[in-house]
Amino acid sequence: MRIQTFISTIFIITFSAQAFSTDIDEARRSFTAGTEAYSKGEYQEALTAFEEAASGSEGFAVNFNLGNTYYKLNKIPESILYLERALKFDPANEDARYNLRLANERIADRIESLPKTKFALWWDDFRFGVGPDGWAWISVGFSVFASLMFFLFAFGKNPGLRRFGFFTGLICIVLLAVTISLSSSAEEFRYSHVSAVVFTDKVDVKSEPRPEGTDVFVLHAGARVSLLRSEGEWHHIEIASGNKGWIKAEDLREI
Amino acid sequence: MKKIGKYLTLCIVIFASALAADAQDPVFRAVADKQSVAVGDPINIKFTIENGRGDITPPDFSDFNVVFGPSRSTNFQIINGRQSSTMSLSYTLRAKAEGKYTIGSAVAKVGSKLLKSDPIEINVVKGKAPSSQNTGQQGHSRKPAADKNLIVRMLLSKNKVYQGEGLVITFELLSRYNNLDLGETSFPSLNGFWSEDIKSGQTSWEPDYEYIDRVPYRKAILRKKLLFPQRQGTIEIDPFKITAQINRSFFNAGTQVSAQSYAQKIEVLPLPGGAPESFNGAVGEYVFSGKAGQTEIRANDAIDLSLEVKGKGNLKLIKAPSIEFPSDFEVYDPELEDRISVSGGGMSGSRTFEYLVIPRFPGKYDIPEFDFTYFSPSKEQYVTQTVGPFQVKVSGEDGSVPTEQSGIARSRVETVRQDIRYIVTDQEMLLPAGNMFFKSFGYYLLTIGPLLFLTGFILFHKKRDAILGDVRTIRRKKAHSVAKKRLAAAKKAMDKGDSTTFYSEIFNAIYGFLSDKLGAEKAVLTKPVIRQKLAENEVPDHMIQEVIYLIETCEMARFAPVTGQSDEVFYGRTAEFIEKLEGLFK
């Protein structure tokens, strides 16, 4: 009875994956067409193809390629947006970081920010590199392993084996909890919008969320800002140097 | 001029003095042909004495330039026996600036009389003046001085050129004056052109006459230039002006004459779009060639690379093509060598770029091919010519790094230009959108499922154990009474003298008792198992040996009658053993 439910669930999962697979096949075709156009220097065609691919899929590759294509088409704010999105899937990717640096050199604003250390990069890669699903599968592994260990504990023949089963099982339960929280934080890192890119050529950042507010500082297209909170159509933002202010949602696109 | 013609119906100079006695009172008049003129347009002033002869002193013309004059004419006529004579002095003037001017009175001395003319007011306006009075003139308003004896011209070889295409401008002087002394010549500034003199220096008359309206003129080319327009659109060249002295001699200061040419317009067409990247402004017809001096050299020796552009066009404006030398090469700015001649046909010859390149490290290098593109006005398209690539083999022993470069790491990779890294081409890297495993039903099932399953399994097992355990307890508790019943049945058989049933009942009593007490089936209870289980239950050795002895005796009694001991004794031992074991298991 229990086994049957289990098997039927597995079937449901596989079939739902099957339903998605037609979408992903189409996205892969567009993606390949895009890479071919890009290799010939036909960036406009590449852009259309990659955008089609992005509508049916996600991940590092499609965002990275869109960022590169926008760069080649000289649309730097879009390029920055997509490269930042690509880094959400692979936070330590060296190519994306390099391209993003080049793109950032071509925008008007120079906002001082500390470069990331090797360790910080490694830590980001560890936490977010495999993504929420990666951690989810690892937590499934720990769950299964913990169950096996507790089985040993419950039915072990000799007391040593049972003791081993008990403690390893406990460690696995702790690791299971850790990986679930890692999975959740990876999900938040990838899918929540905590920063944005300015898309208007020149924006006056206000001291309060209304147009009459004092202009605190000025940002230009391509600048990256952190979103703190929002009030109506206004976002409270912070830039890397620590300055804060209010900006209209229409001037931004969320990463 | 035609006005003068009216007065010249008859001209008898010879009789002038003889008939003077009959003259009327002399009259002195000053007349201008226009009251209003444009700046630069000529105006004729004529002072006339009628019925007399005398000296005329002209007024001050300081506000004007005297373009022509004074010219004298004398007129004597007899009509119906009455004679009259006129004498006139005329000037052609040109206003210097706009404004209202008054030409003062001229004074004429006729005999002993002094006559004064009325002053004339002239209004000089800017630009074109109403030229209604110029009846006989050509309609062209830009027509400069009316002096037909002196003409200057600007001639263009073409009126419509591409930007960068050459054209020739010629400044010509045509004259009917014999004795002409060139004064001030003002050539127009040639803004928007890059110009090159074709002919300058000594000006001399051409051997042949040139006829304009069948009038012969002597011609001199004052200057000839080759022009290369540098911007597109219509470029206007201002008129070219000249002043000269005629009939100048030792005794005579001569007369100043001046002339002005038409302005000229040149339409400069833009070069068509879609120029290749290597296009650098060269326009004309060229042949591009290049050669490398030595291609197998030792490190730190120099390679001469010379590129030659040969042909016709704006050669002097050609820039060196950009060559991407390998970064290990030290490249010096190219030296230019021109063999260019400029003639009426344009600029032709060759320009050579001499590159001096020094490879610093041994190895095989490729100097990539490089393009030279020019625009051909005759074909109206861009033409690209390619030279190269050159392969250079640099030999040299290891470690031949030049000492002066010690500050630079040997194998430093120099980034020539920055560009983004290439895209990802692996389509397998695409992930299905919105199909996250985390937090899906399957995920919850697979994480919580195993633990739940295990818990359920353990619970199930515990319960079953509990039930099984109960049965055993009951059996253990009942074991004694069951054994007693069996022993009672054995005693009955013993009383009857049925030895076989007796032993079999005894056997069953012992086995049943052991099976119930140890919680094991009778089938598994072999003698070694019994031994082991009893030992585990801390049953003393002599009792284990006792039970083995009892079992063995029962087994033997099945096949042969028991001798040596009576059934009563055996019964007693068995009953005693069961009581003892019962006591141990309590």
Side-chain angles (χ1 to χ4, degrees):
Chain A
M1 174 55 188
R2 229 181 284 265
I3 301 275
Q4 274 170 357
T5 354
F6 183 74
I7 289 171
S8 62
T9 325
I10 295 289
F11 264 107
I12 289 166
I13 295 167
T14 359
F15 276 120
S16 62
Q18 211 76 45
F20 279 110
S21 76
T22 50
D23 267 10
I24 194 79
D25 283 347
E26 199 142 309
R28 284 189 175 143
R29 267 195 294 282
S30 302
F31 185 83
T32 310
T35 54
E36 272 166 23
Y38 188 96
S39 71
K40 287 181 203 144
E42 295 160 354
Y43 300 122
Q44 200 62 51
E45 287 78 0
L47 179 66
T48 324
F50 285 142
E51 271 174 349
E52 267 170 34
S55 71
S57 70
E58 60 177 25
F60 173 79
V62 71
N63 283 308
F64 178 69
N65 290 6
L66 270 172
N68 282 7
T69 315
Y70 273 120
Y71 184 94
K72 288 287 184 184
L73 289 169
N74 232 2
K75 292 180 175 170
I76 302 303
E78 284 89 343
S79 173
I80 290 174
L81 178 76
Y82 281 102
L83 288 173
E84 291 274 14
R85 282 185 182 169
L87 284 176
K88 284 183 133 192
F89 287 91
D90 190 357
N93 187 284
E94 209 229 325
D95 286 353
R97 287 166 49 78
Y98 179 85
N99 290 359
L100 184 63
R101 187 164 61 75
L102 286 196
N104 275 325
E105 276 171 15
R106 294 185 50 186
I107 62 169
D109 292 320
R110 289 274 167 278
I111 302 170
E112 291 299 320
S113 63
L114 288 172
K116 277 192 176 173
T117 60
K118 268 236 161 82
F119 175 76
L121 271 181
W122 174 86
W123 179 234
D124 280 355
D125 196 28
F126 172 75
R127 279 188 302 165
F128 310 129
V130 294
D133 284 1
W135 284 119
W137 280 111
I138 293 171
S139 61
V140 166
F142 278 125
S143 171
V144 171
F145 198 63
S147 304
L148 287 175
M149 287 300 121
F150 284 131
F151 182 84
L152 262 191
F153 163 65
F155 304 106
K157 289 290 174 205
N158 65 57
L161 201 61
R162 284 160 63 174
R163 208 178 300 128
F164 170 77
F166 179 73
F167 286 111
T168 324
L170 268 190
I171 290 169
C172 284
I173 289 292
V174 171
L175 288 175
L176 172 67
V178 168
T179 50
I180 288 174
S181 76
L182 277 172
S183 185
S184 166
S185 76
E187 184 205 15
E188 193 176 314
F189 175 81
R190 188 173 286 184
Y191 295 106
S192 67
H193 302 294
V194 292
S195 51
V197 174
V198 174
F199 263 70
T200 313
D201 287 341
K202 183 214 146 206
V203 191
D204 294 317
V205 182
K206 304 284 181 183
S207 63
E208 43 195 300
R210 57 195 180 92
E212 297 82 27
T214 318
D215 296 345
V216 196
F217 53 95
V218 175
L219 286 178
H220 299 89
R224 189 199 150 134
V225 298
S226 303
L227 301 172
L228 301 178
R229 67 197 170 96
S230 62
E231 205 156 283
E233 56 174 346
W234 290 86
H235 280 297
H236 195 205
I237 55 121
E238 180 179 7
I239 56 174
S241 60
N243 292 355
K244 289 178 186 175
W246 291 86
I247 203 167
K248 275 197 162 183
E250 65 194 32
D251 295 323
L252 297 171
R253 272 178 76 182
E254 287 170 340
I255 292 169
Chain B
M1 292 292 148
K2 281 197 177 172
K3 270 183 187 168
I4 300 167
K6 276 184 199 166
Y7 295 103
L8 292 172
T9 29
L10 194 61
C11 181
I12 310 163
V13 179
I14 314 157
F15 298 107
S17 57
L19 299 167
D22 207 16
Q24 295 172 302
D25 283 345
V27 178
F28 185 48
R29 269 198 297 238
V31 177
D33 65 344
K34 307 166 205 170
Q35 261 75 50
S36 176
V37 291
V39 179
D41 276 4
I43 175 168
N44 287 318
I45 306 283
K46 194 172 191 179
F47 303 99
T48 314
I49 307 172
E50 286 175 19
N51 308 321
R53 296 187 63 194
D55 291 330
I56 300 172
T57 313
D60 179 28
F61 291 134
S62 56
D63 291 332
F64 298 88
N65 287 325
V66 178
V67 178
F68 184 74
S71 69
R72 284 163 201 279
S73 70
T74 310
N75 207 339
F76 188 82
Q77 57 188 338
I78 301 169
I79 301 166
N80 297 334
R82 290 183 61 187
Q83 41 175 298
S84 64
S85 71
T86 55
M87 189 194 143
S88 62
L89 192 64
S90 54
Y91 291 88
T92 302
L93 304 178
R94 191 177 282 162
K96 285 176 180 170
E98 60 189 289
K100 277 195 174 176
Y101 300 100
T102 307
I103 298 173
S105 303
V107 178
K109 193 181 178 190
V110 183
S112 58
K113 275 188 186 167
L114 279 174
L115 298 173
K116 267 184 145 182
S117 67
D118 294 330
I120 301 168
E121 288 204 342
I122 308 283
N123 189 13
V124 182
V125 297
K126 196 177 176 181
K128 286 180 193 171
S131 56
S132 56
Q133 290 177 6
N134 284 357
T135 45
Q137 302 280 357
Q138 285 171 305
H140 204 295
S141 61
R142 281 172 185 263
K143 178 73 181 167
D147 188 354
K148 276 195 157 182
N149 293 328
L150 188 67
I151 298 172
V152 285
R153 297 195 297 202
M154 272 192 304
L155 298 177
L156 298 174
S157 61
K158 289 170 199 165
N159 280 321
K160 216 176 184 184
V161 290
Y162 280 106
Q163 187 179 335
E165 187 185 354
L167 78 155
V168 178
I169 186 166
T170 315
F171 298 96
E172 281 182 356
L173 172 74
L174 298 161
S175 169
R176 297 194 69 201
Y177 295 112
N178 279 326
N179 189 352
L180 187 76
D181 210 350
L182 280 183
E184 199 184 313
T185 337
S186 73
F187 291 105
S189 65
L190 296 164
N191 289 332
F193 295 99
W194 190 79
S195 67
E196 188 81 10
D197 281 331
I198 297 173
K199 179 181 181 291
S200 59
Q202 201 68 39
T203 307
S204 61
W205 297 112
E206 302 273 303
D208 297 326
Y209 282 93
E210 177 152 340
Y211 290 87
I212 297 173
D213 293 339
R214 288 191 221 144
V215 180
Y217 285 88
R218 298 180 74 189
K219 186 170 99 172
I221 293 173
L222 297 178
R223 192 171 283 184
K224 209 168 183 181
K225 275 173 178 265
L226 188 58
L227 300 182
F228 295 101
Q230 298 300 298
R231 59 178 159 90
Q232 61 196 60
T234 305
I235 304 182
E236 198 168 301
I237 302 176
D238 290 335
F240 140 66
K241 294 171 199 162
I242 192 165
T243 52
Q245 302 286 334
I246 51 168
N247 300 326
R248 195 174 187 170
S249 67
F250 185 73
F251 303 105
N252 192 348
T255 314
Q256 198 178 44
V257 290
S258 68
Q260 186 179 1
S261 74
Y262 298 118
Q264 287 280 17
K265 273 184 188 167
I266 298 170
E267 197 186 339
V268 183
L269 304 169
L271 295 175
E277 212 173 302
S278 53
F279 179 67
N280 219 345
V283 177
E285 303 293 338
Y286 299 105
V287 175
F288 183 52
S289 63
K291 62 176 198 291
Q294 253 190 314
T295 52
E296 286 197 18
I297 56 161
R298 294 168 60 82
N300 298 328
D301 284 353
I303 305 174
D304 286 316
L305 182 71
S306 78
L307 308 176
E308 189 190 50
V309 177
K310 200 172 182 179
K312 234 173 110 175
N314 52 353
L315 266 172
K316 284 194 180 173
L317 296 177
I318 288 176
K319 294 177 202 108
S322 66
I323 304 173
E324 284 178 18
F325 287 105
S327 53
D328 279 353
F329 283 22
E330 209 170 302
V331 183
Y332 295 94
D333 282 342
E335 256 178 56
L336 282 187
E337 200 185 314
D338 286 344
R339 279 191 213 96
I340 297 174
S341 65
V342 179
S343 70
M347 194 186 280
S348 61
S350 69
R351 168 166 272 197
T352 313
F353 302 96
E354 297 273 3
Y355 283 91
L356 187 69
V357 184
I358 302 176
R360 288 301 185 198
F361 303 110
K364 275 186 184 173
Y365 296 94
D366 271 341
I367 299 175
E369 54 183 27
F370 31 88
D371 294 337
F372 172 75
T373 299
Y374 62 90
F375 177 74
S376 163
S378 61
K379 291 179 196 155
E380 298 193 333
Q381 65 186 28
Y382 294 100
V383 181
T384 301
Q385 292 181 342
T386 305
V387 163
F390 297 109
Q391 285 186 332
V392 181
K393 204 172 159 187
V394 183
S395 61
E397 58 274 24
D398 276 348
S400 63
V401 185
T403 46
E404 68 263 35
Q405 280 205 328
S406 54
I408 301 168
R410 271 183 71 186
S411 57
R412 190 177 64 175
V413 178
E414 282 184 53
T415 312
V416 185
R417 243 178 274 141
Q418 283 194 322
D419 197 3
I420 53 170
R421 305 255 167 94
Y422 198 64
I423 50 169
V424 173
T425 50
D426 181 12
Q427 61 164 16
E428 296 303 316
M429 279 182 71
L430 290 191
L431 307 172
N435 188 17
M436 196 166 59
F437 171 64
F438 180 58
K439 286 187 179 171
S440 69
F441 175 69
Y443 166 74
Y444 288 123
L445 189 86
L446 290 177
T447 37
I448 304 169
L451 291 171
L452 280 179
F453 184 76
L454 179 81
T455 321
F457 184 75
I458 290 172
L459 284 178
F460 171 73
H461 210 262
K462 278 268 155 73
K463 205 168 182 186
R464 202 191 62 176
D465 267 10
I467 296 162
L468 288 177
D470 281 354
V471 172
R472 276 187 202 155
T473 320
I474 292 164
R475 271 178 64 185
R476 199 163 67 230
K477 282 184 176 164
K478 283 185 177 172
H480 192 223
S481 55
V482 171
K484 273 192 166 170
K485 274 181 194 162
R486 291 237 167 87
L487 284 178
K491 201 173 189 239
K492 221 185 244 174
M494 182 181 76
D495 292 345
K496 276 184 195 167
D498 185 353
S499 183
T500 315
T501 316
F502 169 75
Y503 281 103
S504 122
E505 284 299 328
I506 291 285
F507 185 82
N508 280 340
I510 292 169
Y511 249 87
F513 185 75
L514 283 175
S515 160
D516 289 349
K517 282 288 173 199
L518 296 174
E521 296 300 319
K522 280 180 193 164
V524 290
L525 287 176
T526 54
K527 271 175 270 175
V529 174
I530 293 169
R531 239 185 243 272
Q532 189 201 334
K533 291 238 174 197
L534 288 176
E536 272 174 28
N537 284 297
E538 290 164 5
V539 174
D541 246 10
H542 65 97
M543 286 195 59
I544 295 172
Q545 269 159 25
E546 177 73 9
V547 74
I548 297 299
Y549 165 76
L550 292 174
I551 292 169
E552 277 174 355
T553 312
C554 290
E555 280 169 351
M556 283 200 331
R558 282 186 196 171
F559 308 106
V562 177
T563 52
Q565 75 173 304
S566 65
D567 292 353
E568 283 82 4
V569 176
F570 188 72
Y571 172 81
R573 278 182 83 163
T574 308
E576 190 190 357
F577 167 76
I578 285 174
E579 288 309 313
K580 269 187 181 168
L581 206 59
E582 174 68 23
L584 275 173
F585 275 95
K586 273 265 161 78

